[in-house]
Each structure stands twice: as C-alpha cells, then as structure tokens.
Amino acid sequence: MAASMVPAEPAGAPVEDGVPADARPTTPLSIGHLFQISVFWFALNAIWGGFEVFQQKRVIQLIGDGAPIALPAMELIAMPIAVLTMPVMGSVSDYTASRWGRRRPFILFGSLTGAVAMFGLALAPTFPLLIVFFVLLQLTTNAARGPFAGLVPDLVPERQVGIASGLMGLMITLGLVGGYLLMSTGYLLDEDFTLPMLALGAFVGLAGIASFLWIPKGPPAKPRGDRTWPKVAFETFGTDILKERSYVFLLGSRFFILMATGFFMNLNILYLERTFHLVGTDQGFWVIVGLGISVAATAVGTIPGARLSDRVGRKPVIYASALFGAIGMTIVGLAPSVEIAMIGIALVGLGGGAFLAVDWALMTDIIPKASAGRYMGLSNVVEATNGPIATSIGGAIMFVVAGVVDQAAGARAAMLAAVVAFALGAVLLTQVKEPRRVRAAATGRPTETPTPAPA
C-alpha cells in the first residue's frame, strides 16, 4: 500500500476511565509525576551535552590528525538514524498494547540499552568499535525519545500543559549543561573521560527505570487492525499527515526558529575569532561567558513564558520570542565589541527559553492525541536537522562574504542571516490555527475548546 493510502481509524476510539484515546486527559497530574517526566527530559539531553565533549576528545585520542574528517562523518551517520528512528518508534508505540502502557516499555528498553552503549563508548579501545557503540547509542536513545515525546499529550490535562512544557524546556537546557559539566570533569582526570561517561550511562539507565516505575501508563493503544508492524512503520511518513495543516506549518515555523539560534551556537568560535580577533585563552573565556549567559537566559525564559501562554495564548508568546531573538541576533551581527554582543546573546537566550516551552505546548494542543507518538516523533526530526543545516548555511555565508569583503564581514553576515530565519518562522506561524481557550469560572484557568474534526 502506498504511504498516502493510510486506512481510516476504526469507529469508536478506545476509551479508558471515560476519556477517549484521542481526547486530552482531564485528571491533573501530581507534582511528582510532572517532575518525573521532566527528569527523563534532563537525562535524554544530558547524554548529548556530555557526548559533545567526549566525542571530540576521544576521537582525537584514538586517531589524532584524522579527527577533523572523522567528526563530520559521525554526524552524517547520526542524522538519518535520528530522522528515521524517532518518528517510526513513536508511531509504533501509538499501537503498542501492553500491561505497562504504550510508551513505558520503549522508555525502559531505550534507556537501558542506551546505558550499555555509553558503557561501550567509555571502554572502546579503537575507533571502529567507538563507531559501533555510537550507532547503538543513536538507535536506542532515539527509540526511547520518540515514544517519550508522546507522553505529554497522553498524560497532561490542558490546564497543566503550560507548566509541563515549561519544565520540559528548563530540563532540556539544564540537561545539556549538566551533561557537559559532568563530562568536563574528565579534564581533572588527565583527560580521561572513561569514568564520566560510565557515570552518565548509569544515570540514564536509572532515570529510565524510575520513569518506567513511576510515570502513569496513559491511555490505551490505538487499534492496529490487520496492519503489520512494517506497515505501521512505513505509514509514519504517509502523506495523510499533510491534512493536519496547522501541524505542518508549525513544524516549518519550529525548524526556522530553532535554526536561527543555531547560527551562533554552532559558529560562535569562528564568529569571535573573525569579528573580534579573539584567540587562545581570551577566546575560551568568552565562549564560556557566552554559554553561561545563553543558558541562564534560556532557563529564565522557560517557565514564565509557558505560564504567560496559558493566559494570552501560545502564538503571541512565540511571536515575542522570535522578535527577541531577531533583535538579539541583530545586536550580535552589528556589535562593535564582544561585550555588546553578549547583550544580544542574552536576548536570544531569553526568547529561546520561552520558545522551547511554548512551541511544545502548542504542538500538543493541535495534534491528534491518539497518534501523539507519531506526530511528536516527527516534530523531533526538526531538532535533529536544524543544527547541521544552520552550520552549513552559516558557513557558506561566511565563506562567500569573506571572499568578497573580509572575514569579519563574513562572520557578521552569518549572524544576521539568523534574523531572516526568525522572520520566516514567524511568517509560517501565522498559518497555524491555535485552539480557542476560554477561562473556566471555577478554576480561573484556561480550558481548550475542541475544534470539530474534519468530515
């Protein structure tokens, strides 16, 4: 069957506790459950925050001068694995019926096998074996991440989406930094990163076990009918998804806004070197300062942005975050000094924190809830691809403009390109139809007014 010919869902969606599988739950989660969901977000992102340090240092230790070729090759290996694994496993989890729920088995399996992959990375004595465990890490952690992304639509009632998404955005940021700091302890061990990687693997495994035990199992699985598992996987990328017009435009908006932040994050060393002639320890100092400012501003923006979106709507907050980001990148691109550039980075981080939380909340508002694994898994593809594309476009701009003008102008032009990306993200967002909210008289909290399903 062609991917565009996805069978219609059988009439009478499964019901649990009186709530249809395609409806948002109404029972509030405890603070403990909200925190547990957030902890696994922390663990997933700590993996890659730490791996960025481990990968560069370990590859240099194993193959020396070949590292500049090997590192991009590893990224090329990683991208298709992430692009395929997250949405496919998310979609498969939509149909998985088990006594433990439809998402939790994937979280447990992915985290435990991911821990094994990290143990293998820590102890790998050769570069080929390092690649083997790197591929295993990509497969296993993305197999957990795709289904896990469906948990917020599965479990969180509308009144708690803002705070749940705010915690998610905060934990994504803190996880990246926490993993980076943990792995950096290897510098204190004569650049031996074995123990930090083993510790990170153990933490991820324990976080997966805790999530399996304590996160509610959620709604029942969708009926699979006579579909085989390969057919379910193949239908993940079916063109029926184009009928969800708001979702498609929100994916595009998300891609460009995330890509805009990547221009600085992925090219900051070249920017500092070519614009302000910072090298050596001076460059290292400002890289750390920039990272600290960005992380702090992002953390500050997450939960307030999410709570504000509960009152004024998701889209206005995303527009504001894009505006903050565009102003910030304009300051970075035109800054006469590195100190002024840091002010721009603070604005980008503040807007980025609000965006991380509120964009996720809006995504959970508009997707079909019974297929949350599929839709949220596909949305994660944007995260896997925007960084490499931002690096490629920004690097090309640097090269071309440097050839025509000079290197400083090339670096500034690459930063200013982010303003265009922010604008494109905002334009695409205009086509997203946000569900209307009304204020509940009893609770004073917004509730979602469902939109009638298309005929």
Side-chain angles (χ1 to χ4, degrees):
M1 181 180 292
S4 60
M5 300 295 290
V6 178
E9 293 300 321
V15 175
E16 185 167 280
D17 297 330
V19 180
D22 204 37
R24 189 181 287 282
T26 56
T27 303
L29 292 179
S30 68
I31 294 299
H33 284 146
L34 288 173
F35 179 74
Q36 183 59 56
I37 293 173
S38 302
V39 166
F40 198 65
W41 277 122
F42 181 98
L44 285 173
N45 287 278
I47 294 171
W48 302 112
F51 187 76
E52 289 300 317
V53 178
F54 176 87
Q55 179 189 30
Q56 295 181 62
K57 299 301 296 186
R58 191 67 182 127
V59 170
I60 291 171
Q61 291 168 354
L62 290 174
I63 62 175
D65 292 341
I69 297 175
L71 289 170
M74 292 178 73
E75 294 301 316
L76 289 175
I77 292 171
M79 187 183 297
I81 295 175
V83 166
L84 292 173
T85 306
M86 279 191 287
V88 167
M89 298 311 293
S91 185
V92 167
S93 73
D94 289 335
Y95 294 92
T96 300
S98 82
R99 60 184 294 187
W100 302 287
R102 57 179 183 167
R103 314 290 187 201
R104 294 193 300 177
F106 294 92
I107 295 170
L108 181 65
F109 175 80
S111 58
L112 291 180
T113 52
V116 171
M118 284 183 273
F119 295 159
L121 285 167
L123 302 172
T126 65
F127 182 68
L129 200 55
L130 189 80
I131 291 291
V132 169
F133 285 111
F134 172 64
V135 170
L136 180 62
L137 182 66
Q138 286 285 346
L139 287 170
T140 55
T141 56
N142 285 309
R145 189 183 187 106
F148 180 70
L151 273 180
V152 171
D154 278 358
L155 300 176
V156 180
E158 200 278 335
R159 61 184 288 183
Q160 290 183 308
V161 168
I163 186 63
S165 299
L167 285 170
M168 181 213 72
L170 179 62
M171 288 300 179
I172 286 175
T173 303
L174 295 180
L176 289 168
V177 176
Y180 181 91
L181 293 176
L182 173 61
M183 199 58 59
S184 295
T185 60
Y187 288 106
L188 305 177
L189 303 171
D190 294 328
E191 296 198 0
D192 183 350
F193 297 90
T194 302
L195 284 178
M197 180 57 81
L198 290 173
L200 183 57
F203 171 72
V204 170
L206 290 173
I209 293 171
S211 297
F212 178 80
L213 293 176
W214 295 325
I215 291 177
K217 69 178 184 178
K222 292 174 63 178
R224 184 159 59 96
D226 61 353
R227 302 180 201 178
T228 63
W229 288 117
K231 182 179 289 187
V232 169
F234 181 66
E235 290 173 353
T236 301
F237 302 98
T239 56
D240 64 302
I241 211 162
L242 299 177
K243 296 177 182 177
E244 301 292 337
R245 188 172 181 272
S246 288
Y247 172 77
V248 173
F249 277 102
L250 185 56
L251 279 186
S253 172
R254 188 178 201 220
F255 174 82
F256 282 110
I257 292 177
L258 288 175
M259 186 176 74
T261 62
F263 280 101
F264 179 80
M265 297 304 295
N266 298 345
L267 298 168
N268 58 347
I269 292 176
L270 286 173
Y271 165 77
L272 292 171
E273 181 179 313
R274 297 186 174 194
T275 304
F276 303 113
H277 309 293
L278 294 171
V279 295
T281 56
D282 288 339
Q283 182 186 93
F285 171 78
W286 284 108
V287 167
I288 293 172
V289 169
L291 176 64
I293 290 173
S294 177
V295 168
T298 300
V300 167
T302 50
I303 293 180
R307 298 301 295 267
L308 180 62
S309 76
D310 283 340
R311 297 184 176 277
V312 304
R314 316 290 190 209
K315 287 175 63 176
V317 177
I318 297 177
Y319 285 131
S321 70
L323 179 61
F324 269 68
I327 293 172
M329 289 306 292
T330 300
I331 293 173
V332 171
L334 302 178
S337 67
V338 67
E339 291 83 2
I340 298 298
M342 292 301 115
I343 296 174
I345 293 306
L347 290 175
V348 175
L350 192 63
F355 173 80
L356 279 175
V358 178
D359 170 76
W360 190 267
L362 179 56
M363 190 77 69
T364 69
D365 288 344
I366 67 176
I367 63 170
K369 306 302 181 288
S371 300
R374 178 192 184 194
Y375 283 84
M376 300 307 285
L378 283 169
S379 73
N380 279 331
V381 171
V382 170
E383 296 181 23
T385 56
N386 73 84
I389 292 175
T391 302
S392 300
I393 294 175
I397 292 172
M398 277 191 181
F399 179 80
V400 171
V401 176
V404 176
V405 187
D406 56 37
Q407 288 192 340
R412 292 183 183 277
M415 298 301 107
L416 292 173
V419 178
V420 178
F422 277 120
L424 288 172
V427 169
L428 290 174
L429 186 64
T430 63
Q431 302 302 307
V432 175
K433 185 177 181 180
E434 181 177 358
R436 183 170 62 88
R437 287 176 174 75
V438 296
R439 190 144 316 261
T443 64
R445 296 180 180 272
T447 58
E448 183 177 318
T449 301
T451 303

